[in-house]
Amino acid sequence: MRYPQRTGRLYVPRRKARLATAAVLVATTLAACGGGQDGGAEAGAPKAPATIPELTKDPLTLSFIWFDWPPAHALEDFANAEYAKERSNVTVKVNTVPNANWHDAMFTQFAARKTDFDIPILDSQHIGEAVTNGNILDITDFVQKNIDVKAYNPYLLAAYGQFPQAETGKRDENAKLYGLPLLGDTWTMIYRKDLIGDKPPQTWDEMISVAEKCQADNPGVSGLAFHQANGSDAAAVTYNTVNGVYGGNLWDPKTRKIDGVLNDAAGQEAMEVLVNKMKPLTAKGSGNWFIDEVNAAVAQGKACIAFNWIAASGGLLDPKQSTLGTTREQILDKLGFATLPSQKTNLVPLGGMGMHVSAYSAKANQAEALNFMKWFERPDIQKKWAAAGGVPARTDALESPEFLNAGPFNKVYADSVPRMRDMWNVPEYARLVDIENTNVNAALNGAKQPKAALDDIAREQQGVLDSSGRKGGGGL
Amino acid sequence: MSDPVPSVIDHPGRAASAAPPAPGRSSRLSDRLLAVAFTSPALLLLLAMSVFPLLWALYLSFTDYSATRGGPAAFVGLENYTAILTSAQVRLRALTTLIYVVGAVALQTVLGFSIAYLISRRTHGRGLLTTLFLVPMMLSPVVVGLFWRFMLDAQFGVINSMLGSLGLGQVEWLTRQRTALISLIVVDTWQWTPFIMLIALAGLTAVPKYLYEAASIDRASEWFRFRTITLPLVWPLLLIAVLFRAIEAFRLFDLVYILTSGGPGVSTETLSFHVYKVAFLGFNTGTASAYGILMVVIVIVLTQLYLRYLNKLKED
């Protein structure tokens, strides 16, 4: 019997080993290629049934995905308390991620064609990307059969569900719907009644001069506090708001033109106002502030006038988080909430999000998600959601005492609804908003001149829209 | 009839491998099969988790594939590579990364070696000091980034509070172009100086004592001993530590993400952070793959040059 003569070194025929390795790699590559092609066949949003299929009686967890902020926790508590009364086998779980990861957390799962959530809560501007990629269900037929569309302000229904994007303030009744409103939102002006008086400034210019005087009269208190960070959509929303108020436009949606529209005279004036008049009235080092930092400045009495999303303002009335008073009433003696001042126009930013159904969820979960959405949009539930701290979208709920009495800023929202304007709802949104965020942030922090920053935004955003069909090298 | 056992063993290794299977072991299970059976799980894992993704990324880098859009990947040749190599945006990020790598690694090397040198001269408490110095290295970069973000906050941070109590003005650490990059370098240095210190300390401890004794007899000065004995003997080890740190610093992502998000504007956006944006904001998977491959190639080429220098140093 013969044994190979070896000296401790493993004898593996090299050629065979190489062939085996190559075979494994080729097989894996082919398998991966196959997967990609299957995914491609699913392009375009699949349709949800018009009628809700039979619901399961087995225990089921209905999962949402949202970013971590108070409304997310309020929604989970509210849904488990109220929805469970009708569907006792269902548990609602609202998974949260940091705001900066929100888009990535949803779209990386969409990219894998498998999601651990059933209801993604998309920002209104994310709808285009999700619809184009076939990530969420087309619920047009479902809405027609189950939802009273006349009960809503048409623009709210359009902003949180329609694609292609609606014209500001309107809804195209022939357009398809991919979502229903979950939480309405806009900016509120938060002002110190004890420092600037009970009457809020009515125009943007007046607001700036009042803030200037307040800052001069109160050392240690800055005149203004607003979003300036380069993450999420922070600095971009700030510029877009000032742009709207000074009569500017973000783009011409019909011709997809940004360069020459955003940086026209009105756009330049808005950037000048933001960088040269508003920024000097903010606290030193506030160039990376977002929702929490603005709230902290208000709660600690460090700002005369601040701007923040209404849905994130509830904590300002909590005496445990504030130095302005030991009771809610004491805090409200010092803090006032008002709609944004107007200037050349009275536009305000549209915030809030809609509910959508993941195309990759199990059929039973999709059916449950549709049932939840139908339940959530009922008039009685919308009023309960308002009382629980949510911002509803149905007009009857918005006008109800349950909503208007639930918070001092709720009337601000109700009054702001007809004044809302959204950003671009296109598949390229994530890149457009990043370009705007980084350039506005650069201008606010002295890294770029205002005019140069605005021109760069217009040029780079135009480049993104123009190169959407480009082969290779995209995304730089 | 069983095979005869060799009566003379002239080569132990060969004799051991030539021995027949132990009694009770299946005759079909040869040494070769057994070795393949033991190594194949690890090999398969390596192929699936490392080699295949790398090759897959290489393939995608020649296509216009997007992970979210799906669909078949269209071959675009070298367009992704051309776009990256000619992009002003990429050049700007490369410059930021270069400044960061050089600044952080140089500072860490000087500080790490100095601390190690001082510790090596102590006879008491050396172990405790070394352990205490190593604590920052054991923390997650995300945790480090978060607490430094609070400490460097211009309004509420402890650093500005201390500067204020000394009568110095507030510094906008994270929101000004120059200070933001310096802050990143300082935080990275705080976390990773101990790594250089550890390697340098190992080198310093290994320097033979008799060399110093001989130098003492010759009445050599402290500086002369450091320059002619300590530094030349520790230098090759220190260079390896520098290599590891430079590679790590080159792919910096987490601290940037937490501390500055690349701001103000894009002034602290490193190459890795930019790749992340290309890959996950626009989901331009093909471009991002090419970008990643180019970064790997740069690291490999620079490492090879560096290793050659290191080998030459050893030979000399």
Side-chain angles (χ1 to χ4, degrees):
Chain A
M1 196 174 187
R2 285 174 56 223
Y3 292 100
Q5 299 281 306
R6 286 172 292 147
T7 53
R9 188 176 155 214
L10 179 67
Y11 175 77
V12 178
R14 280 187 188 170
R15 201 173 161 204
K16 279 185 186 173
R18 280 180 194 159
L19 282 172
T21 311
V24 169
L25 285 171
V26 167
T28 336
T29 309
L30 285 174
C33 286
Q37 279 160 355
D38 287 349
E42 292 171 10
K47 274 196 167 201
T51 314
I52 298 170
E54 192 180 347
L55 300 173
T56 180
K57 288 176 181 153
D58 297 332
L60 184 144
T61 300
L62 190 63
S63 297
F64 288 64
I65 186 163
W66 207 353
F67 66 88
D68 195 7
W69 68 329
H73 305 291
L75 174 66
E76 186 172 286
D77 295 343
F78 172 73
N80 279 318
E82 295 296 330
Y83 190 59
K85 287 178 185 168
E86 300 186 17
R87 297 281 300 145
S88 57
N89 60 324
V90 176
T91 307
V92 173
K93 176 85 186 124
V94 180
N95 298 308
T96 56
V97 292
N99 184 295
N101 301 105
W102 181 33
H103 170 269
D104 305 352
M106 293 184 292
F107 283 85
T108 45
Q109 291 199 45
F110 284 148
R113 309 290 188 267
K114 195 175 180 184
T115 57
D116 66 2
F117 51 81
D118 310 304
I119 301 186
I121 298 171
L122 299 179
D123 220 346
S124 55
Q125 307 89 7
H126 294 150
I127 298 172
E129 186 177 357
V131 170
T132 311
N133 297 331
N135 304 139
I136 54 176
L137 297 188
D138 171 355
I139 59 169
T140 314
D141 297 343
F142 166 80
V143 171
Q144 270 176 3
K145 188 151 188 182
N146 297 280
I147 305 293
D148 177 12
V149 291
K150 293 197 173 87
Y152 298 82
N153 174 302
Y155 188 51
L156 285 186
L157 205 61
Y160 301 122
Q162 181 182 313
F163 186 77
Q165 185 173 12
E167 199 178 320
T168 299
K170 294 178 182 172
R171 179 187 163 226
D172 177 359
E173 290 184 11
N174 298 317
K176 287 188 172 179
L177 286 172
Y178 299 88
L180 284 169
L182 169 70
L183 182 92
D185 205 359
T186 188
W187 269 20
T188 178
M189 179 169 66
I190 306 156
Y191 62 101
R192 288 285 297 275
K193 289 195 276 190
D194 57 329
L195 300 182
I196 67 167
D198 286 340
K199 194 168 175 278
Q202 296 301 302
T203 67
W204 207 264
D205 285 349
E206 185 192 349
M207 181 270 295
I208 292 171
S209 61
V210 166
E212 205 168 6
K213 183 173 183 307
C214 179
Q215 180 169 282
D217 294 347
N218 299 279
V221 181
S222 60
L224 293 173
F226 52 83
H227 304 167
Q228 301 178 47
N230 62 345
S232 187
D233 57 4
V237 169
T238 299
Y239 173 71
N240 289 348
T241 302
V242 184
N243 173 285
V245 167
Y246 278 85
N249 285 297
L250 304 185
W251 68 322
D252 179 350
K254 285 177 186 155
T255 56
R256 284 171 71 90
K257 194 165 180 254
I258 294 179
D259 202 0
V261 176
L262 178 76
N263 51 346
D264 63 5
Q268 297 286 1
E269 185 184 5
M271 189 59 106
E272 283 293 320
V273 168
L274 176 62
V275 176
N276 295 329
K277 291 186 178 175
M278 292 174 66
K279 173 67 183 174
L281 299 175
T282 60
K284 202 169 183 185
S286 60
N288 57 359
W289 282 14
F290 194 26
I291 296 172
D292 292 342
E293 290 83 358
V294 169
N295 274 345
V298 174
Q300 294 184 21
K302 299 272 189 187
C304 297
I305 295 174
F307 297 96
N308 215 340
W309 294 110
I310 285 177
S313 299
L316 292 176
L317 305 178
D318 181 359
K320 288 178 192 160
Q321 298 177 38
S322 180
T323 59
L324 296 176
T326 51
T327 62
R328 180 182 161 102
E329 287 68 33
Q330 278 182 5
I331 295 170
L332 280 172
D333 282 343
K334 290 184 178 173
L335 284 188
F337 297 87
T339 51
L340 299 195
S342 53
Q343 188 70 29
K344 291 178 181 168
T345 77
N346 67 353
L347 291 171
V348 298
L350 179 135
M353 301 90 197
M355 293 177 284
H356 310 265
V357 184
S358 166
Y360 315 109
S361 214
K363 292 289 174 203
N365 293 49
Q366 286 182 345
E368 196 66 55
L370 292 171
N371 191 59
F372 180 90
M373 286 161 79
K374 183 180 177 183
W375 168 84
F376 190 81
E377 303 297 339
R378 267 173 24 195
D380 56 323
I381 300 301
Q382 284 275 290
K383 285 179 188 170
K384 283 185 180 176
W385 172 229
V391 182
R394 280 181 69 107
T395 309
D396 48 4
L398 283 175
E399 292 168 350
S400 69
E402 288 92 335
F403 175 65
L404 294 173
N405 298 332
F409 25 71
N410 285 357
K411 187 167 184 324
V412 174
Y413 179 76
D415 292 344
S416 299
V417 168
R419 298 169 52 181
M420 288 178 175
R421 179 179 83 167
D422 203 359
M423 296 152 89
W424 342 261
N425 176 3
V426 290
E428 299 88 359
Y429 165 75
R431 289 192 57 213
L432 297 182
V433 82
D434 179 58
I435 289 167
E436 189 153 338
N437 251 338
T438 49
N439 280 290
V440 174
N441 177 265
L444 286 169
N445 290 297
K448 263 187 188 179
Q449 290 299 314
K451 187 178 184 312
L454 192 62
D455 287 341
D456 284 351
I457 295 170
R459 184 177 44 79
E460 289 175 30
Q461 286 184 337
Q462 190 68 60
V464 169
L465 288 189
D466 292 348
S467 66
S468 53
R470 173 183 166 180
K471 298 280 179 197
L476 290 169
Chain B
M1 193 180 154
S2 64
D3 287 52
V5 178
S7 54
V8 180
I9 300 171
D10 57 357
H11 193 295
R14 187 174 296 176
S17 60
R25 201 171 92 184
S26 163
S27 57
R28 288 182 181 179
L29 213 59
S30 66
D31 280 356
R32 188 194 309 167
L33 214 59
L34 208 58
V36 169
F38 278 126
T39 54
S40 53
L43 271 174
L44 284 175
L45 202 68
L46 195 70
L47 281 174
M49 307 295 287
S50 278
V51 180
F52 169 68
L54 189 69
L55 294 178
W56 185 236
L58 187 66
Y59 158 68
L60 289 179
S61 72
F62 296 105
T63 70
D64 68 346
Y65 183 69
S66 165
T68 48
R69 286 193 292 274
F75 184 73
V76 294
L78 292 170
E79 276 187 50
N80 287 331
Y81 289 94
T82 314
I84 293 163
L85 292 170
T86 55
S87 163
Q89 304 260 10
V90 175
R91 277 200 296 275
L92 184 68
R93 271 71 170 186
L95 183 66
T96 306
T97 309
L98 183 71
I99 295 171
Y100 171 79
V101 172
V102 172
V105 176
L107 195 60
Q108 287 161 29
T109 308
V110 172
L111 283 176
F113 184 77
S114 305
I115 295 170
Y117 187 68
L118 292 174
I119 289 180
S120 71
R121 293 167 65 89
R122 282 185 68 92
T123 45
H124 299 293
R126 188 194 288 190
L128 181 69
L129 267 177
T130 309
T131 310
L132 285 176
F133 272 114
L134 289 181
V135 169
M137 210 174 80
M138 296 170 191
L139 298 173
S140 151
V142 174
V143 175
V144 170
L146 278 174
F147 73 66
W148 272 97
R149 189 186 157 109
F150 287 122
M151 294 205 311
L152 292 169
D153 188 283
Q155 287 291 314
F156 316 108
V158 69
I159 307 282
N160 270 2
S161 174
M162 279 160 58
L163 291 177
S165 61
L166 294 171
L168 301 167
Q170 284 180 319
V171 180
E172 295 184 50
W173 295 107
L174 303 174
T175 51
R176 288 284 147 189
Q177 229 170 342
R178 284 189 184 170
T179 50
L181 194 58
I182 292 171
S183 300
L184 279 175
I185 290 173
V186 167
V187 176
D188 193 70
T189 301
W190 179 85
Q191 185 170 26
W192 291 109
T193 296
F195 176 76
I196 302 268
M197 182 208 79
L198 194 69
I199 305 277
L201 194 61
L204 287 166
T205 320
V207 178
K209 290 271 185 294
Y210 66 85
L211 292 175
Y212 291 118
E213 287 164 7
S216 295
I217 292 165
D218 291 341
R219 291 190 172 184
S221 70
E222 192 76 19
W223 169 243
F224 185 84
R225 276 192 264 178
F226 174 78
R227 195 165 49 84
T228 54
I229 301 172
T230 312
L231 203 56
L233 288 176
V234 179
W235 190 238
L237 209 58
L238 203 61
L239 286 180
I240 290 173
V242 168
L243 173 71
F244 285 143
R245 276 308 306 140
I247 291 172
E248 279 282 309
F250 183 73
R251 55 187 187 85
L252 174 81
F253 172 80
D254 25 32
L255 279 184
V256 177
Y257 188 70
I258 300 289
L259 278 173
T260 63
S261 287
V266 292
S267 53
T268 57
E269 255 188 34
T270 54
L271 287 168
S272 294
F273 195 80
H274 195 209
V275 176
Y276 155 75
K277 280 188 167 181
V278 174
F280 295 109
L281 285 186
F283 280 95
N284 290 281
T285 316
T287 314
S289 300
Y291 209 147
I293 294 289
L294 280 174
M295 284 181 69
V296 170
V297 169
I298 288 170
V299 169
I300 289 173
V301 169
L302 290 179
T303 306
Q304 282 303 316
L305 292 173
Y306 194 85
L307 286 176
R308 280 188 187 187
Y309 168 70
L310 216 61
N311 286 333
K312 192 170 174 289
L313 205 72
K314 269 186 189 172
E315 285 164 13
D316 290 346

